[in-house]
Amino acid sequence: MAKDAPPRWDRRMQQRLARGEAAALGELYDRFAALVHSQAHRMLDDEDAADLVTREVFAQVWENPEAYDPKQGSMRSWVARLTHRRSVQRLRRAAAVAYAEEHGEGAVPDPEELERRVRSATAAARADYIVSSMPASLRQALELAYTQRRDYRQTAADLGVTEDEARRRLRLGLQLLSTANTRPLEGSSPPGYGRFR
């Protein structure tokens, strides 16, 4: 995954997109397509829907580059927010269609159940975003501890750091991940999408 771009790159990219430079869109796509697709796939659990969301997000960026506000965060965060919004819209539409097919035309799904599904999908996508955005040292410690089932002593040895440093990295990584269940405001991005710049 590409490192977050500095703000100057973000502003320059926005200017290039506003001028209609197709090469700028290609560069942006190369940098963020994996993020967009994985976030959409994590939320929707559907490869075709994730492909559609990816196309829609980059089309929206191409058509409205002036909508990006560098004061609100990085270009990466903006693209993640667009992906989140598109994915939530698609998730809600798909749930409504599935419910109508099962219960007859005009039937409306339970709003609480639908919001629970949206929150669950958002938390999963946000956790992925947090992990991909955190410093490599924290990500490596979490992967060793939770994927490979190492305790903090083994993690410290594998990383070549002190046990105190391994505990610090694990604690900080877990603190970051604990924010994944924060409920977003309606139509907004989950809190923290702009935090890791």
Side-chain angles (χ1 to χ4, degrees):
M1 167 156 272
K3 290 181 86 175
D4 279 337
R8 184 173 30 187
W9 182 91
D10 293 351
R11 287 189 298 274
R12 201 168 50 241
M13 175 57 68
Q14 181 185 31
Q15 292 165 353
R16 291 174 63 203
L17 290 166
R19 286 192 302 263
E21 288 184 32
L25 182 63
E27 185 179 329
L28 190 77
Y29 183 88
D30 289 345
R31 186 175 287 240
F32 298 129
L35 166 72
V36 171
H37 191 273
S38 65
Q39 182 181 345
H41 190 273
R42 183 71 161 136
M43 287 189 71
L44 301 169
D45 195 26
D46 181 331
E47 187 71 26
D48 293 335
D51 290 343
L52 279 171
V53 167
T54 301
R55 285 194 298 272
E56 291 170 354
V57 165
F58 286 99
Q60 184 175 354
V61 168
W62 177 248
E63 293 169 4
N64 302 299
E66 67 282 348
Y68 168 62
D69 181 1
K71 294 175 188 163
Q72 298 296 315
S74 68
M75 180 78 68
R76 182 179 198 270
S77 297
W78 180 57
V79 169
R81 286 191 303 272
L82 295 175
T83 304
H84 177 257
R85 286 185 196 127
R86 291 281 179 164
S87 297
V88 167
Q89 290 168 355
R90 188 162 293 279
L91 186 63
R92 287 185 173 140
R93 276 194 308 263
V97 167
Y99 194 84
E101 287 175 357
E102 186 176 324
H103 296 93
E105 186 132 355
V108 179
D110 176 25
E112 288 180 20
E113 173 60 21
L114 182 56
E115 286 308 306
R116 186 197 62 74
R117 289 178 60 192
V118 168
R119 281 193 308 273
S120 176
T122 297
R126 186 159 186 279
D128 286 350
Y129 181 87
I130 290 169
V131 169
S132 70
S133 299
M134 69 176 49
S137 60
L138 300 182
R139 188 171 48 250
Q140 290 167 341
L142 288 175
E143 287 172 357
L144 287 169
Y146 292 96
T147 304
Q148 299 180 24
R149 304 239 179 227
R150 304 264 203 270
D151 66 21
Y152 75 92
R153 288 183 180 98
Q154 294 166 322
T155 299
D158 288 348
L159 294 175
V161 298
T162 66
E163 291 177 3
D164 285 342
E165 177 62 14
R167 281 195 301 263
R168 185 193 71 77
R169 290 179 186 184
L170 290 168
R171 184 174 46 252
L172 184 53
L174 290 173
Q175 286 172 342
L176 292 172
L177 276 175
S178 72
T179 65
N181 284 324
T182 304
R183 184 174 180 194
L185 298 173
E186 187 69 28
S188 69
S189 65
Y193 263 129
R195 187 176 305 162
F196 306 105
R197 296 192 303 160

